[in-house]
Amino acid sequence: MNYVTDEEINLYLRTVQPMYDGILGEIQKQSIENQVPIIPHETARLLSVLLSLKKPKKILEIGTAVGFSAGLMSRYLQEGGKITTIDRFEVMLKDARENIKKMQLQDTIEIIQADAADVLPTLKEEYDVIFLDAAKGQYGSFLPHCLRLLPIGGLLIVDDVLQGGSIAKTRFSVPRRQRTIHKRMRNFLWDISHHPSLESCILPVGDGVALCYKIKQTEGDCI
C-alpha cells in the first residue's frame, strides 16, 4: 500500500484511533495480516465521520474488494438504507460474499458482478453517497456517471488519488508504464477541482482522498 503521509505518523495515529469492533473489526484485522487490499484505517475513520454527518439512505460503491468498506459504510445508513456495490473480480467477490454473510448484511448490501464501465450507464436512481475505489485509470470516465447519479447535496468520495505522491511529479519523472494512469489521474483531479457542479478538496490521507460535494445541477448531470 502506498501512503502519502509519513509512516511514523500513520503508526502513531493507529495507536490513537482504535480498530473497528465486531465482525467488521475481524475482517479488517485479517485483511491487514494477510495483506489483502482494503482501505487504510485513516481513510476508514474519515469515512466514519463523513457518513455520520451525511446519514445516507442509499450508497453506491464502485470497487467492492472483500466487502470491508461496504460493511463499514452500512453502519451509518439510515434505517432501511441500502448499498449497491460493483466489482468484476470473482477472486475478491468470493470473499466479499462470505464477509457480507458473516456480518448478516445480505439484505442491505447488493453486489453487482460486472465491469463498472458497463453497469454505470444503466443505473437510473440517485445515491446520497458514491464511494469510488476502483481502476484508477478509469476515474475520469466514471466521473460523468457519478455526477449524473448524485443529487444536489450528494457526496462523491474517491480513494487513492495521489499515487504514493508520484502525482506531484512531472510525467517524465515517472516510469513509462505508469505515464498513462499518471496523466489520467492528473486530469481527473483537475476536472473535479474545476467542475461547476462540485465543491471539492483533496486530502493527503492514506494514498489521497478526494471529497466532492455536489452544489448544483449543470447540463449533463441529470438522470
PDB file of all heavy atoms in Angstrom, residues 147-174:
ATOM      1  N   LEU A 147     -21.624  12.023 -11.425  1.00  0.00           N
ATOM      2  CA  LEU A 147     -22.321  13.304 -11.345  1.00  0.00           C
ATOM      3  C   LEU A 147     -23.800  13.155 -11.690  1.00  0.00           C
ATOM      4  O   LEU A 147     -24.667  13.786 -11.068  1.00  0.00           O
ATOM      5  CB  LEU A 147     -21.667  14.317 -12.290  1.00  0.00           C
ATOM      6  CG  LEU A 147     -20.283  14.810 -11.868  1.00  0.00           C
ATOM      7  CD1 LEU A 147     -19.659  15.658 -12.969  1.00  0.00           C
ATOM      8  CD2 LEU A 147     -20.370  15.612 -10.584  1.00  0.00           C
ATOM      9  N   ARG A 148     -24.084  12.321 -12.660  1.00  0.00           N
ATOM     10  CA  ARG A 148     -25.470  12.087 -13.060  1.00  0.00           C
ATOM     11  C   ARG A 148     -26.266  11.409 -11.951  1.00  0.00           C
ATOM     12  O   ARG A 148     -27.464  11.691 -11.768  1.00  0.00           O
ATOM     13  CB  ARG A 148     -25.469  11.226 -14.326  1.00  0.00           C
ATOM     14  CG  ARG A 148     -26.840  10.878 -14.882  1.00  0.00           C
ATOM     15  CD  ARG A 148     -26.723  10.080 -16.172  1.00  0.00           C
ATOM     16  NE  ARG A 148     -26.021   8.812 -15.967  1.00  0.00           N
ATOM     17  CZ  ARG A 148     -26.598   7.692 -15.522  1.00  0.00           C
ATOM     18  NH1 ARG A 148     -27.891   7.699 -15.212  1.00  0.00           N
ATOM     19  NH2 ARG A 148     -25.902   6.590 -15.396  1.00  0.00           N
ATOM     20  N   LEU A 149     -25.613  10.551 -11.192  1.00  0.00           N
ATOM     21  CA  LEU A 149     -26.300   9.765 -10.166  1.00  0.00           C
ATOM     22  C   LEU A 149     -26.339  10.438  -8.798  1.00  0.00           C
ATOM     23  O   LEU A 149     -26.966   9.930  -7.872  1.00  0.00           O
ATOM     24  CB  LEU A 149     -25.629   8.391 -10.044  1.00  0.00           C
ATOM     25  CG  LEU A 149     -25.701   7.514 -11.299  1.00  0.00           C
ATOM     26  CD1 LEU A 149     -24.792   6.298 -11.168  1.00  0.00           C
ATOM     27  CD2 LEU A 149     -27.131   7.074 -11.587  1.00  0.00           C
ATOM     28  N   LEU A 150     -25.641  11.570  -8.661  1.00  0.00           N
ATOM     29  CA  LEU A 150     -25.642  12.320  -7.401  1.00  0.00           C
ATOM     30  C   LEU A 150     -26.684  13.428  -7.442  1.00  0.00           C
ATOM     31  O   LEU A 150     -26.718  14.222  -8.385  1.00  0.00           O
ATOM     32  CB  LEU A 150     -24.274  12.959  -7.157  1.00  0.00           C
ATOM     33  CG  LEU A 150     -23.162  12.155  -6.490  1.00  0.00           C
ATOM     34  CD1 LEU A 150     -21.919  13.034  -6.379  1.00  0.00           C
ATOM     35  CD2 LEU A 150     -23.560  11.628  -5.120  1.00  0.00           C
ATOM     36  N   PRO A 151     -27.515  13.548  -6.415  1.00  0.00           N
ATOM     37  CA  PRO A 151     -28.402  14.706  -6.313  1.00  0.00           C
ATOM     38  C   PRO A 151     -27.626  15.904  -5.764  1.00  0.00           C
ATOM     39  O   PRO A 151     -26.492  15.755  -5.287  1.00  0.00           O
ATOM     40  CB  PRO A 151     -29.457  14.239  -5.308  1.00  0.00           C
ATOM     41  CG  PRO A 151     -28.682  13.328  -4.399  1.00  0.00           C
ATOM     42  CD  PRO A 151     -27.675  12.627  -5.272  1.00  0.00           C
ATOM     43  N   ILE A 152     -28.210  17.072  -5.820  1.00  0.00           N
ATOM     44  CA  ILE A 152     -27.621  18.212  -5.132  1.00  0.00           C
ATOM     45  C   ILE A 152     -27.534  17.871  -3.638  1.00  0.00           C
ATOM     46  O   ILE A 152     -28.497  17.372  -3.048  1.00  0.00           O
ATOM     47  CB  ILE A 152     -28.468  19.483  -5.353  1.00  0.00           C
ATOM     48  CG1 ILE A 152     -28.424  19.891  -6.829  1.00  0.00           C
ATOM     49  CG2 ILE A 152     -27.963  20.629  -4.477  1.00  0.00           C
ATOM     50  CD1 ILE A 152     -29.349  21.038  -7.171  1.00  0.00           C
ATOM     51  N   GLY A 153     -26.378  18.111  -3.056  1.00  0.00           N
ATOM     52  CA  GLY A 153     -26.158  17.715  -1.664  1.00  0.00           C
ATOM     53  C   GLY A 153     -25.537  16.338  -1.533  1.00  0.00           C
ATOM     54  O   GLY A 153     -25.209  15.914  -0.424  1.00  0.00           O
ATOM     55  N   GLY A 154     -25.362  15.646  -2.657  1.00  0.00           N
ATOM     56  CA  GLY A 154     -24.727  14.329  -2.645  1.00  0.00           C
ATOM     57  C   GLY A 154     -23.220  14.445  -2.502  1.00  0.00           C
ATOM     58  O   GLY A 154     -22.621  15.479  -2.828  1.00  0.00           O
ATOM     59  N   LEU A 155     -22.602  13.364  -2.036  1.00  0.00           N
ATOM     60  CA  LEU A 155     -21.175  13.367  -1.754  1.00  0.00           C
ATOM     61  C   LEU A 155     -20.478  12.262  -2.546  1.00  0.00           C
ATOM     62  O   LEU A 155     -20.868  11.097  -2.472  1.00  0.00           O
ATOM     63  CB  LEU A 155     -20.940  13.149  -0.255  1.00  0.00           C
ATOM     64  CG  LEU A 155     -19.501  13.173   0.258  1.00  0.00           C
ATOM     65  CD1 LEU A 155     -18.865  14.551   0.037  1.00  0.00           C
ATOM     66  CD2 LEU A 155     -19.460  12.805   1.745  1.00  0.00           C
ATOM     67  N   LEU A 156     -19.456  12.651  -3.295  1.00  0.00           N
ATOM     68  CA  LEU A 156     -18.593  11.710  -4.007  1.00  0.00           C
ATOM     69  C   LEU A 156     -17.271  11.632  -3.249  1.00  0.00           C
ATOM     70  O   LEU A 156     -16.610  12.647  -3.031  1.00  0.00           O
ATOM     71  CB  LEU A 156     -18.350  12.180  -5.445  1.00  0.00           C
ATOM     72  CG  LEU A 156     -17.287  11.422  -6.260  1.00  0.00           C
ATOM     73  CD1 LEU A 156     -17.674   9.959  -6.447  1.00  0.00           C
ATOM     74  CD2 LEU A 156     -17.060  12.107  -7.605  1.00  0.00           C
ATOM     75  N   ILE A 157     -16.910  10.410  -2.831  1.00  0.00           N
ATOM     76  CA  ILE A 157     -15.658  10.166  -2.111  1.00  0.00           C
ATOM     77  C   ILE A 157     -14.788   9.275  -2.992  1.00  0.00           C
ATOM     78  O   ILE A 157     -15.227   8.205  -3.411  1.00  0.00           O
ATOM     79  CB  ILE A 157     -15.915   9.476  -0.755  1.00  0.00           C
ATOM     80  CG1 ILE A 157     -16.945  10.270   0.073  1.00  0.00           C
ATOM     81  CG2 ILE A 157     -14.615   9.305   0.018  1.00  0.00           C
ATOM     82  CD1 ILE A 157     -17.445   9.524   1.300  1.00  0.00           C
ATOM     83  N   VAL A 158     -13.577   9.723  -3.271  1.00  0.00           N
ATOM     84  CA  VAL A 158     -12.710   8.999  -4.209  1.00  0.00           C
ATOM     85  C   VAL A 158     -11.404   8.653  -3.511  1.00  0.00           C
ATOM     86  O   VAL A 158     -10.710   9.536  -2.993  1.00  0.00           O
ATOM     87  CB  VAL A 158     -12.421   9.839  -5.474  1.00  0.00           C
ATOM     88  CG1 VAL A 158     -11.736   8.981  -6.533  1.00  0.00           C
ATOM     89  CG2 VAL A 158     -13.704  10.454  -6.028  1.00  0.00           C
ATOM     90  N   ASP A 159     -11.056   7.370  -3.519  1.00  0.00           N
ATOM     91  CA  ASP A 159      -9.866   6.911  -2.804  1.00  0.00           C
ATOM     92  C   ASP A 159      -8.680   6.748  -3.748  1.00  0.00           C
ATOM     93  O   ASP A 159      -8.835   6.579  -4.959  1.00  0.00           O
ATOM     94  CB  ASP A 159     -10.162   5.576  -2.114  1.00  0.00           C
ATOM     95  CG  ASP A 159      -9.163   5.252  -1.012  1.00  0.00           C
ATOM     96  OD1 ASP A 159      -8.498   6.183  -0.522  1.00  0.00           O
ATOM     97  OD2 ASP A 159      -9.051   4.073  -0.638  1.00  0.00           O
ATOM     98  N   ASP A 160      -7.471   6.798  -3.171  1.00  0.00           N
ATOM     99  CA  ASP A 160      -6.211   6.517  -3.886  1.00  0.00           C
ATOM    100  C   ASP A 160      -5.982   7.454  -5.065  1.00  0.00           C
ATOM    101  O   ASP A 160      -5.753   7.019  -6.199  1.00  0.00           O
ATOM    102  CB  ASP A 160      -6.189   5.064  -4.379  1.00  0.00           C
ATOM    103  CG  ASP A 160      -6.209   4.061  -3.251  1.00  0.00           C
ATOM    104  OD1 ASP A 160      -5.745   4.397  -2.148  1.00  0.00           O
ATOM    105  OD2 ASP A 160      -6.689   2.932  -3.466  1.00  0.00           O
ATOM    106  N   VAL A 161      -6.001   8.747  -4.807  1.00  0.00           N
ATOM    107  CA  VAL A 161      -5.866   9.707  -5.913  1.00  0.00           C
ATOM    108  C   VAL A 161      -4.469  10.333  -6.024  1.00  0.00           C
ATOM    109  O   VAL A 161      -4.203  11.066  -6.977  1.00  0.00           O
ATOM    110  CB  VAL A 161      -6.916  10.836  -5.798  1.00  0.00           C
ATOM    111  CG1 VAL A 161      -8.331  10.270  -5.897  1.00  0.00           C
ATOM    112  CG2 VAL A 161      -6.736  11.643  -4.522  1.00  0.00           C
ATOM    113  N   LEU A 162      -3.575  10.032  -5.074  1.00  0.00           N
ATOM    114  CA  LEU A 162      -2.265  10.690  -5.095  1.00  0.00           C
ATOM    115  C   LEU A 162      -1.115   9.759  -5.496  1.00  0.00           C
ATOM    116  O   LEU A 162       0.036  10.178  -5.571  1.00  0.00           O
ATOM    117  CB  LEU A 162      -1.966  11.339  -3.744  1.00  0.00           C
ATOM    118  CG  LEU A 162      -2.912  12.476  -3.364  1.00  0.00           C
ATOM    119  CD1 LEU A 162      -2.508  13.073  -2.019  1.00  0.00           C
ATOM    120  CD2 LEU A 162      -2.935  13.562  -4.430  1.00  0.00           C
ATOM    121  N   GLN A 163      -1.426   8.497  -5.741  1.00  0.00           N
ATOM    122  CA  GLN A 163      -0.464   7.555  -6.312  1.00  0.00           C
ATOM    123  C   GLN A 163       0.877   7.564  -5.571  1.00  0.00           C
ATOM    124  O   GLN A 163       1.945   7.689  -6.181  1.00  0.00           O
ATOM    125  CB  GLN A 163      -0.258   7.851  -7.801  1.00  0.00           C
ATOM    126  CG  GLN A 163      -1.550   7.736  -8.598  1.00  0.00           C
ATOM    127  CD  GLN A 163      -1.386   8.014 -10.076  1.00  0.00           C
ATOM    128  OE1 GLN A 163      -0.453   8.691 -10.498  1.00  0.00           O
ATOM    129  NE2 GLN A 163      -2.294   7.490 -10.872  1.00  0.00           N
ATOM    130  N   GLY A 164       0.791   7.437  -4.265  1.00  0.00           N
ATOM    131  CA  GLY A 164       2.005   7.395  -3.469  1.00  0.00           C
ATOM    132  C   GLY A 164       2.828   8.668  -3.530  1.00  0.00           C
ATOM    133  O   GLY A 164       4.019   8.668  -3.212  1.00  0.00           O
ATOM    134  N   GLY A 165       2.208   9.763  -3.946  1.00  0.00           N
ATOM    135  CA  GLY A 165       2.907  11.040  -4.075  1.00  0.00           C
ATOM    136  C   GLY A 165       3.455  11.294  -5.461  1.00  0.00           C
ATOM    137  O   GLY A 165       3.849  12.417  -5.782  1.00  0.00           O
ATOM    138  N   SER A 166       3.471  10.281  -6.320  1.00  0.00           N
ATOM    139  CA  SER A 166       4.040  10.457  -7.657  1.00  0.00           C
ATOM    140  C   SER A 166       3.195  11.383  -8.527  1.00  0.00           C
ATOM    141  O   SER A 166       3.672  11.899  -9.541  1.00  0.00           O
ATOM    142  CB  SER A 166       4.205   9.108  -8.361  1.00  0.00           C
ATOM    143  OG  SER A 166       2.944   8.516  -8.631  1.00  0.00           O
ATOM    144  N   ILE A 167       1.942  11.623  -8.108  1.00  0.00           N
ATOM    145  CA  ILE A 167       1.076  12.521  -8.880  1.00  0.00           C
ATOM    146  C   ILE A 167       1.666  13.926  -8.962  1.00  0.00           C
ATOM    147  O   ILE A 167       1.412  14.670  -9.907  1.00  0.00           O
ATOM    148  CB  ILE A 167      -0.336  12.562  -8.250  1.00  0.00           C
ATOM    149  CG1 ILE A 167      -1.352  13.130  -9.232  1.00  0.00           C
ATOM    150  CG2 ILE A 167      -0.348  13.329  -6.941  1.00  0.00           C
ATOM    151  CD1 ILE A 167      -1.670  12.227 -10.362  1.00  0.00           C
ATOM    152  N   ALA A 168       2.482  14.286  -7.968  1.00  0.00           N
ATOM    153  CA  ALA A 168       3.086  15.625  -7.943  1.00  0.00           C
ATOM    154  C   ALA A 168       4.294  15.739  -8.867  1.00  0.00           C
ATOM    155  O   ALA A 168       4.773  16.837  -9.130  1.00  0.00           O
ATOM    156  CB  ALA A 168       3.490  15.990  -6.511  1.00  0.00           C
ATOM    157  N   LYS A 169       4.792  14.616  -9.354  1.00  0.00           N
ATOM    158  CA  LYS A 169       5.958  14.630 -10.233  1.00  0.00           C
ATOM    159  C   LYS A 169       5.556  14.926 -11.667  1.00  0.00           C
ATOM    160  O   LYS A 169       4.394  14.765 -12.048  1.00  0.00           O
ATOM    161  CB  LYS A 169       6.675  13.274 -10.170  1.00  0.00           C
ATOM    162  CG  LYS A 169       7.215  12.919  -8.793  1.00  0.00           C
ATOM    163  CD  LYS A 169       7.892  11.562  -8.825  1.00  0.00           C
ATOM    164  CE  LYS A 169       8.442  11.182  -7.456  1.00  0.00           C
ATOM    165  NZ  LYS A 169       9.079   9.840  -7.464  1.00  0.00           N
ATOM    166  N   THR A 170       6.502  15.349 -12.476  1.00  0.00           N
ATOM    167  CA  THR A 170       6.214  15.547 -13.886  1.00  0.00           C
ATOM    168  C   THR A 170       6.017  14.197 -14.561  1.00  0.00           C
ATOM    169  O   THR A 170       6.466  13.152 -14.058  1.00  0.00           O
ATOM    170  CB  THR A 170       7.367  16.276 -14.593  1.00  0.00           C
ATOM    171  OG1 THR A 170       8.527  15.431 -14.603  1.00  0.00           O
ATOM    172  CG2 THR A 170       7.694  17.590 -13.885  1.00  0.00           C
ATOM    173  N   ARG A 171       5.388  14.225 -15.693  1.00  0.00           N
ATOM    174  CA  ARG A 171       5.108  12.985 -16.419  1.00  0.00           C
ATOM    175  C   ARG A 171       6.382  12.201 -16.713  1.00  0.00           C
ATOM    176  O   ARG A 171       6.401  10.972 -16.643  1.00  0.00           O
ATOM    177  CB  ARG A 171       4.385  13.332 -17.723  1.00  0.00           C
ATOM    178  CG  ARG A 171       4.033  12.122 -18.563  1.00  0.00           C
ATOM    179  CD  ARG A 171       3.254  12.515 -19.801  1.00  0.00           C
ATOM    180  NE  ARG A 171       3.000  11.333 -20.612  1.00  0.00           N
ATOM    181  CZ  ARG A 171       3.196  11.284 -21.917  1.00  0.00           C
ATOM    182  NH1 ARG A 171       3.665  12.331 -22.551  1.00  0.00           N
ATOM    183  NH2 ARG A 171       2.924  10.184 -22.596  1.00  0.00           N
ATOM    184  N   PHE A 172       7.448  12.897 -17.044  1.00  0.00           N
ATOM    185  CA  PHE A 172       8.675  12.219 -17.445  1.00  0.00           C
ATOM    186  C   PHE A 172       9.513  11.764 -16.247  1.00  0.00           C
ATOM    187  O   PHE A 172      10.540  11.126 -16.417  1.00  0.00           O
ATOM    188  CB  PHE A 172       9.487  13.132 -18.362  1.00  0.00           C
ATOM    189  CG  PHE A 172       8.765  13.455 -19.639  1.00  0.00           C
ATOM    190  CD1 PHE A 172       8.175  14.695 -19.825  1.00  0.00           C
ATOM    191  CD2 PHE A 172       8.634  12.493 -20.633  1.00  0.00           C
ATOM    192  CE1 PHE A 172       7.485  14.990 -20.997  1.00  0.00           C
ATOM    193  CE2 PHE A 172       7.942  12.775 -21.806  1.00  0.00           C
ATOM    194  CZ  PHE A 172       7.367  14.023 -21.992  1.00  0.00           C
ATOM    195  N   SER A 173       9.037  12.082 -15.040  1.00  0.00           N
ATOM    196  CA  SER A 173       9.729  11.625 -13.832  1.00  0.00           C
ATOM    197  C   SER A 173       9.201  10.283 -13.338  1.00  0.00           C
ATOM    198  O   SER A 173       9.787   9.682 -12.441  1.00  0.00           O
ATOM    199  CB  SER A 173       9.581  12.663 -12.711  1.00  0.00           C
ATOM    200  OG  SER A 173      10.179  13.884 -13.071  1.00  0.00           O
ATOM    201  N   VAL A 174       8.073   9.821 -13.902  1.00  0.00           N
ATOM    202  CA  VAL A 174       7.510   8.528 -13.502  1.00  0.00           C
ATOM    203  C   VAL A 174       7.859   7.493 -14.567  1.00  0.00           C
ATOM    204  O   VAL A 174       8.128   7.836 -15.722  1.00  0.00           O
ATOM    205  CB  VAL A 174       5.983   8.617 -13.322  1.00  0.00           C
ATOM    206  CG1 VAL A 174       5.629   9.620 -12.242  1.00  0.00           C
ATOM    207  CG2 VAL A 174       5.289   8.977 -14.622  1.00  0.00           C
TER     208      VAL A 174
END
